[in-house]
Amino acid sequence: MDPAMPSAPIRVTVWHEHVHDRVNAAVKKLYPKGMHAEMKSAIQEHLGSAVTVRTALLEEPEHGLTDEVLANTDVLTWWGHCAHDQVDDAIVEKVHRRVLEGMGLIVLHSGHYSKIFKRLLGTTCSLRWREAGEKERLWCLMTGHPIADGLDDEYFEIEHTEMYGEFFDIPTPDELIFVSWFEGGEVFRSGCTWNRGKGKIFYFRPGHETFPIYYHKQVRRILANAVKHLTPSRCSAPVRLEAPCIDPPLSPIATVHEVDQSLHEH
Amino acid sequence: MDPAMPSAPIRVTVWHEHVHDRVNAAVKKLYPKGMHAEMKSAIQEHLGSAVTVRTALLEEPEHGLTDEVLANTDVLTWWGHCAHDQVDDAIVEKVHRRVLEGMGLIVLHSGHYSKIFKRLLGTTCSLRWREAGEKERLWCLMTGHPIADGLDDEYFEIEHTEMYGEFFDIPTPDELIFVSWFEGGEVFRSGCTWNRGKGKIFYFRPGHETFPIYYHKQVRRILANAVKHLTPSRCSAPVRLEAPCIDPPLSPIATVHEVDQSLHEH
Amino acid sequence: MDPAMPSAPIRVTVWHEHVHDRVNAAVKKLYPKGMHAEMKSAIQEHLGSAVTVRTALLEEPEHGLTDEVLANTDVLTWWGHCAHDQVDDAIVEKVHRRVLEGMGLIVLHSGHYSKIFKRLLGTTCSLRWREAGEKERLWCLMTGHPIADGLDDEYFEIEHTEMYGEFFDIPTPDELIFVSWFEGGEVFRSGCTWNRGKGKIFYFRPGHETFPIYYHKQVRRILANAVKHLTPSRCSAPVRLEAPCIDPPLSPIATVHEVDQSLHEH
Amino acid sequence: MDPAMPSAPIRVTVWHEHVHDRVNAAVKKLYPKGMHAEMKSAIQEHLGSAVTVRTALLEEPEHGLTDEVLANTDVLTWWGHCAHDQVDDAIVEKVHRRVLEGMGLIVLHSGHYSKIFKRLLGTTCSLRWREAGEKERLWCLMTGHPIADGLDDEYFEIEHTEMYGEFFDIPTPDELIFVSWFEGGEVFRSGCTWNRGKGKIFYFRPGHETFPIYYHKQVRRILANAVKHLTPSRCSAPVRLEAPCIDPPLSPIATVHEVDQSLHEH
């Protein structure tokens, strides 16, 4: 076996709120099969047989994120906007746990206000915004990063889009890959990664539902790159989410010490 | 007025669970006035008239953390161990909000499992541990950091203590100031800072209740240093925790764009 | 003594290349006493008696940075543009060493190409640029940071300036405080800190010589804030720049081991 | 073509000082074919046909690092100890440039004092040390990191080795993957990455020449993991090491501004 090559396809689940593209005529016209179909197509276009992609929707039982689905997901992508509150807290807990266990999580655009993103980051994740169809230019600050692979310049443009601006209330990213310039005067940390437990999170700003963002060449490529980059290793150390008492110690301790066990019971 | 000098004393609230030092004879003997009294004394010893320190206990109404107290706290220190679950979620929410608004938060020892710490960090905050009275040697990785000010060597020692070991399930710290060596074989990230919103968090590992940790010279100094370092600026930009729509834009936008307001109502 | 207050004034040295403001009529008109005079005035305006400021110029013996001056400098500010190559390598070495020992270093605008900045960061420090008198809007990403203290909004503007754009070839900053938006389409990491040894570096982008940048209210405030923030502690652990052999060990080692000293001689 | 799989083998160059294993009997006995042979074997063992490995030695013309070799190297590993000063500055410059262009660089053990490491990091890279044959236990702080892939516990041990201890004078690592515990009482940041330009650096502490470190199971695995992880993308944005003037601007600028070109000539 060649260790440089994954032994099995990356298992991706594209999660989508799927409300606006059902009820709003303009969004429906833009994404007749739903935005999730276009995200799935982008990932498949670039990763081919190296990936298997399923979709999961808010409207499905357990939002499509059953224990079985989550256990068999290497990377989960998340798009939500108007129905964040309808996501069941128990499902959020399960997704949270899976990320800490190593599952990659890609949070897209308005997903910055999703329960799972705020739960993982611990901040309000608030930002400034404006829908004025303005130009966005995404500058790459880590031109050698695998998520930026295949870009042919130091920036790329989205002709018309919604604006998100700083201050974006997030923890300092572990990596800041893209910063957006907006015609109307703002900047934004548009591509960020954070490590949490054994898992990795990538937030990617583009994705507004009234613009054809998921048909955009570079957006599609970056989405696929991120899927590949966030795929967990298959054979690393076992996950530990609890706090074990280590007794006896690994190395000798000179002191003799009496423990009052009652202080550790709670 | 001299801008290099604070215009008013730093307002510190020392929060303490205060269970073991009431019910356990050994802890009571060690800290007859409670651990919070010794923490308060350490801060006062080093910061003198530059600080005013009050204490707040779990057993008090609203755990001593009323809106008025929180609004008048620049830096909050937090010690808890066996009663994390008894802290009211509503109080945790208020403390969380105050940190994002700029209040400094110092989390001590077993406070790693407090609701507020896990809420701010988004991970399990689990670790390995052992109470065997072993030696701990804390190495300073940022010898120029204000929190390490006054240390006279690259390390300091605690003769007998409880052990905390890696893997410590926390987000990558913004600053890693101390790493502990333990006689029994573990290492631990013992002094870490994170920025969250406008606030700063410092986690400091030492502080086990059955050892005289808060009488330890360097521990006392570091606690006081951290109070000083986490004090928020008094005249910075207004806090914004919501997501405002910015209209009209700051700079001109060429496109004319019609907004479907229904997509932004939720 | 009150430990929250500095025991003595911060000793600042403002270093300036001082070429354009001697030979170019427009720059001379803007800064009749030299740009260094205006920087000095900005620092004094905000820090008053908490600071003593001297200036040092390229044209002076040892560029004004004698051993005595460096040994008595807490924070050094650096502005250069057309004469980086004329700075003596031996002086650069001394400044480098002083930063590792704890001296704060503020590098301004075109100082990004100075020998000392490249030496400390290890990269080319190259960037995109354009002089077109365009608008710059500096967004604050760390609204609680001491260097941003006193700003009354999430951004501030410079009406006309030279542009610097990404990709800016620098190591990942330890803190990214400001990101600039430029009218002509670029973004830039305009306010960054890095720790090196015991010292701290702050790079601040504004400062082009043909625009009245050092008369700008917020620029002056940030410069003074940075001086205050980069001041080293007065009583921390001794500096060690060498690699000592630690023998005997701090804790007992079970093995008996014979050392071949010849392997350590070089 | 499957984009998840590299289109061609990773081209690795193992650089070795190759002095002690020629002149010292004990080292020669341990590594009869030289340490570089064992490093090469470790990489090949784990990466098989996904890699081609050549070696380059100090004693060779241009230290084996000709323009042709460097241009065809994806990842360079570096081991040196007693002959750092004999490495030609011109070669160091070339390696430096190649890293900024994207070549991965793995610096091993005593390579912390090599010219190239100090040049890239900008600090003294000094540390504490002791050769006493003591035990080292390497703790993994990023258990999901690709470089830690295949480890079956949260730590691994090296029974007898030389000690390196903090304070290690390096810039804050972008990622801190391993921290070592030493029997004699020290800790050390043993596995660190930094991004510089388009390239990535990994420092890995183990590797002392008088102990059989490169026969150690986990050390071999980590070395191979790092090679794989540091391999640059094959199709990313063009490298830019200079500072281009961007004229005309990407977006319209309202102001009319006259440039004095003499200010930009130097």
Side-chain angles (χ1 to χ4, degrees), chain A residues 112-165:
Chain A
H112 74 91
Y113 254 1
S114 63
K115 287 181 178 178
I116 182 61
F117 194 58
K118 292 193 287 186
R119 175 88 175 78
L120 278 160
L121 296 195
T123 51
T124 65
C125 302
S126 66
L127 44 78
R128 299 158 68 101
W129 64 277
R130 172 177 59 237
E131 188 187 328
E134 70 203 90
K135 175 177 281 202
E136 175 180 14
R137 191 174 287 116
L138 291 103
W139 290 91
C140 184
L141 270 50
M142 300 185 73
T143 58
H145 198 286
I147 288 182
D149 192 30
L151 300 184
D152 52 11
D153 206 342
E154 298 182 359
Y155 66 90
F156 68 92
E157 297 181 350
I158 296 177
E159 206 50 39
H160 301 289
T161 192
E162 189 190 34
M163 178 281 286
Y164 280 4

Side-chain angles (χ1 to χ4, degrees), chain D residues 6 13 27 31 37 45 53 159-160 180 184 213:
Chain D
T13 301
V27 182
Y31 295 104
E45 173 190 1
V53 188
E159 207 49 39
H160 301 289
S180 289
I213 308 294

Side-chain angles (χ1 to χ4, degrees), chain C residues 7-265:
Chain C
S7 53
I10 304 167
R11 300 162 301 172
V12 182
T13 301
V14 170
W15 190 88
H16 181 33
E17 176 185 283
H18 197 229
V19 176
H20 286 151
D21 36 12
R22 281 191 294 115
V23 304
N24 182 285
V27 181
K28 201 170 182 173
K29 189 175 170 196
L30 202 52
Y31 295 105
K33 296 177 186 170
M35 294 171 73
H36 52 295
E38 219 38 65
M39 295 174 198
K40 178 177 177 175
S41 132
I43 296 165
Q44 288 176 325
E45 173 190 0
H46 287 286
L47 297 177
S49 65
V51 78
T52 59
V53 188
R54 77 179 100 198
T55 61
L57 304 176
L58 176 66
E59 70 211 47
E60 297 171 0
E62 301 182 55
H63 312 323
L65 299 174
T66 61
D67 290 355
E68 194 274 337
V69 167
L70 284 174
N72 290 288
T73 297
D74 294 315
V75 180
L76 176 68
T77 75
W78 194 277
W79 199 102
H81 185 184
C82 64
H84 293 315
D85 288 347
Q86 297 172 36
V87 177
D88 194 296
D89 286 340
I91 302 293
V92 174
E93 271 312 296
K94 287 180 186 180
V95 174
H96 183 243
R97 188 181 176 95
R98 279 289 295 142
V99 171
L100 299 183
E101 287 174 354
M103 183 181 72
L105 177 68
I106 300 174
V107 176
L108 298 162
H109 190 62
S110 43
H112 74 91
Y113 254 1
S114 63
K115 287 182 178 179
I116 182 62
F117 194 58
K118 292 193 287 184
R119 175 87 177 77
L120 278 160
L121 297 194
T123 52
T124 66
C125 303
S126 66
L127 45 78
R128 300 158 67 100
W129 64 277
R130 173 177 57 237
E131 188 188 327
E134 69 202 271
K135 175 177 281 201
E136 174 179 15
R137 191 174 285 116
L138 290 102
W139 290 91
C140 184
L141 270 50
M142 300 185 73
T143 57
H145 198 286
I147 289 182
D149 192 30
L151 300 185
D152 52 11
D153 206 343
E154 298 181 358
Y155 66 90
F156 68 93
E157 297 180 350
I158 297 177
E159 207 49 39
H160 302 288
T161 193
E162 189 192 33
M163 178 280 288
Y164 280 4
E166 297 283 343
F167 172 66
F168 184 20
D169 181 24
I170 48 172
T172 312
D174 287 336
E175 297 172 314
L176 177 57
I177 307 176
F178 295 106
V179 169
S180 289
W181 173 98
F182 287 96
E183 191 180 358
E186 278 86 359
V187 299
F188 193 71
R189 286 171 285 180
S190 282
C192 307
T193 71
W194 295 266
N195 296 291
R196 288 296 179 271
K198 294 188 73 165
K200 217 180 180 72
I201 305 161
F202 177 56
Y203 175 77
F204 190 45
R205 196 209 82 82
H208 197 62
E209 68 267 28
T210 58
F211 300 97
I213 307 295
Y214 289 109
Y215 297 100
H216 187 285
K217 183 185 160 197
Q218 283 99 341
V219 169
R220 291 170 73 89
R221 175 67 190 260
I222 289 167
L223 181 56
N225 286 345
V227 163
K228 191 175 153 195
H229 185 63
L230 266 65
T231 303
S233 302
R234 293 285 164 83
C235 52
S236 51
V239 174
R240 171 178 61 70
L241 299 177
E242 306 304 319
C245 177
I246 307 303
D247 189 20
L250 306 173
S251 289
I253 294 172
T255 308
V256 175
H257 175 77
E258 189 109 353
V259 178
D260 178 350
Q261 289 298 352
S262 74
L263 290 170
H264 295 289
E265 285 153 11

Side-chain angles (χ1 to χ4, degrees), chain A residues 25-84:
Chain A
V27 182
K28 201 171 182 173
K29 190 175 168 197
L30 202 52
Y31 295 105
K33 296 177 185 169
M35 294 171 73
H36 51 296
E38 218 41 64
M39 295 173 198
K40 178 177 176 174
S41 132
I43 296 165
Q44 289 176 325
E45 173 190 359
H46 287 287
L47 297 178
S49 65
V51 78
T52 60
V53 188
R54 78 178 100 197
T55 62
L57 305 176
L58 176 66
E59 69 208 50
E60 296 172 358
E62 301 183 54
H63 312 323
L65 299 174
T66 62
D67 290 355
E68 194 273 337
V69 167
L70 284 174
N72 290 287
T73 297
D74 294 316
V75 180
L76 177 67
T77 75
W78 195 278
W79 198 103
H81 184 184
C82 64
H84 293 314

Side-chain angles (χ1 to χ4, degrees), chain A residues 2-6 10 46-50 135 137 139 142-146 148-155 157 174-175 181 195 197-198 200 221 228-229 233-238 240 250-251, chain D residues 2-6 10 46-50 135 137 139 142-146 148-155 157 174-175 181 195 197-198 200 221 228-229 233-238 240 250-251:
Chain A
D2 188 328
M5 318 222 170
I10 304 167
H46 287 287
L47 297 178
S49 65
K135 175 177 281 202
R137 191 174 287 116
W139 290 91
M142 300 185 73
T143 58
H145 198 286
D149 192 30
L151 300 184
D152 52 11
D153 206 342
E154 298 182 359
Y155 66 90
E157 297 181 350
D174 288 334
E175 297 171 315
W181 174 97
N195 296 291
K198 294 188 72 165
K200 216 179 180 75
R221 174 67 190 260
K228 192 175 152 196
H229 185 64
S233 302
R234 293 285 164 83
C235 51
S236 51
R240 172 178 60 71
L250 305 174
S251 290
Chain D
D2 188 330
M5 317 222 171
I10 304 166
H46 287 287
L47 297 177
S49 64
K135 175 177 280 201
R137 192 175 285 117
W139 291 91
M142 301 185 72
T143 58
H145 198 286
D149 192 30
L151 299 185
D152 52 12
D153 206 341
E154 298 181 357
Y155 66 89
E157 296 180 350
D174 288 335
E175 298 171 315
W181 173 98
N195 296 290
K198 294 188 72 163
K200 217 179 179 75
R221 174 68 190 260
K228 192 175 154 195
H229 185 63
S233 303
R234 293 286 164 83
C235 51
S236 51
R240 172 178 61 71
L250 305 174
S251 289

